[in-house]
Amino acid sequence: MADSSFDIVSKVERQEVDNALNQAAKEISQRYDFKGTGASISWSGEKILMEANGEERVKAILDIFQSKLIKRGISLKSLDAGEPQLSGKEYKIFATIEEGISQENAKKVAKIIRDEGPKGVKAQVQGEELRVSSKSRDDLQAVQALIKGKDLDFAVQFANYR
């Protein structure tokens, strides 16, 4: 019988991020405390740009955006937000959405699986994802539970379970 396998990936649905951003922009435009402050959130190329006329307000915009991401099921570990920067009279925060598992993070996860996972489970790095295979599906489920239990500094999903 062939080995069963699944992939550990770090992907973000771009449409869900777009929806969260639109919801945050709508809330900002309707809230009384943001009236007349030039507060906004929008795409700036591949980055997300948050602007306001005060440091506290721009942090509040980031907070609103994070809450919208959570409601849409997107892990905050995939959001990389910078510090507020003063640009003229405006404060700005640039944020990016991180996708893919870096080589060093993939090696860390593979080491966790080798050291703490069931015997006979193989993990191999394939580009920006990690393929985990085993003869036993129960072992694969144990590996998934192990990875979910670890507090990794990046978001992971499980795909192509066969």
Side-chain angles (χ1 to χ4, degrees):
M1 187 177 133
D3 283 4
S4 299
S5 68
F6 68 90
D7 296 335
I8 299 175
V9 297
S10 182
K11 291 194 169 128
V12 176
E13 189 75 36
R14 171 80 179 208
Q15 185 62 48
E16 290 296 328
V17 175
D18 210 29
N19 291 342
L21 187 130
N22 290 336
Q23 286 178 338
K26 186 174 182 181
E27 182 174 327
I28 290 163
S29 71
Q30 293 174 345
R31 273 184 39 176
Y32 179 76
D33 55 337
F34 287 119
K35 290 279 188 246
T37 62
S40 67
I41 181 170
S42 61
W43 286 105
S44 174
E46 285 297 306
K47 293 185 175 184
I48 298 163
L49 171 65
M50 292 162 258
E51 295 179 292
N53 65 358
E55 187 174 355
E56 293 306 313
R57 283 201 174 99
V58 81
K59 285 181 177 176
I61 293 171
L62 177 61
D63 192 46
I64 292 168
F65 182 54
Q66 288 175 334
S67 70
K68 299 299 180 192
L69 286 175
I70 290 169
K71 285 182 182 172
R72 294 220 152 256
I74 297 170
S75 172
L76 292 183
K77 290 179 180 177
S78 60
L79 178 70
D80 182 22
E83 289 299 311
Q85 302 166 337
L86 184 60
S87 171
K89 293 181 179 177
E90 298 267 304
Y91 278 90
K92 296 181 178 186
I93 294 179
F94 285 99
T96 55
I97 301 294
E98 302 285 324
E99 284 195 295
I101 300 175
S102 69
Q103 289 290 327
E104 67 182 58
N105 285 337
K107 288 178 183 172
K108 281 184 202 169
V109 174
K111 184 171 176 17
I112 290 169
I113 293 170
R114 261 196 321 278
D115 294 347
E116 302 175 34
K119 298 290 175 233
V121 175
K122 296 186 286 290
Q124 60 197 64
V125 179
Q126 295 183 333
E128 292 188 336
E129 51 188 51
L130 191 69
R131 168 77 41 96
V132 180
S133 57
S134 171
K135 295 213 180 298
S136 163
R137 286 182 172 231
D138 291 342
D139 287 351
L140 291 181
Q141 289 175 341
V143 168
Q144 284 184 351
L146 173 70
I147 299 300
K148 282 180 188 171
K150 292 291 177 190
D151 187 25
L152 301 171
D153 53 353
F154 55 96
V156 294
Q157 296 87 30
F158 305 109
N160 296 334
Y161 189 85
R162 16 187 132 130

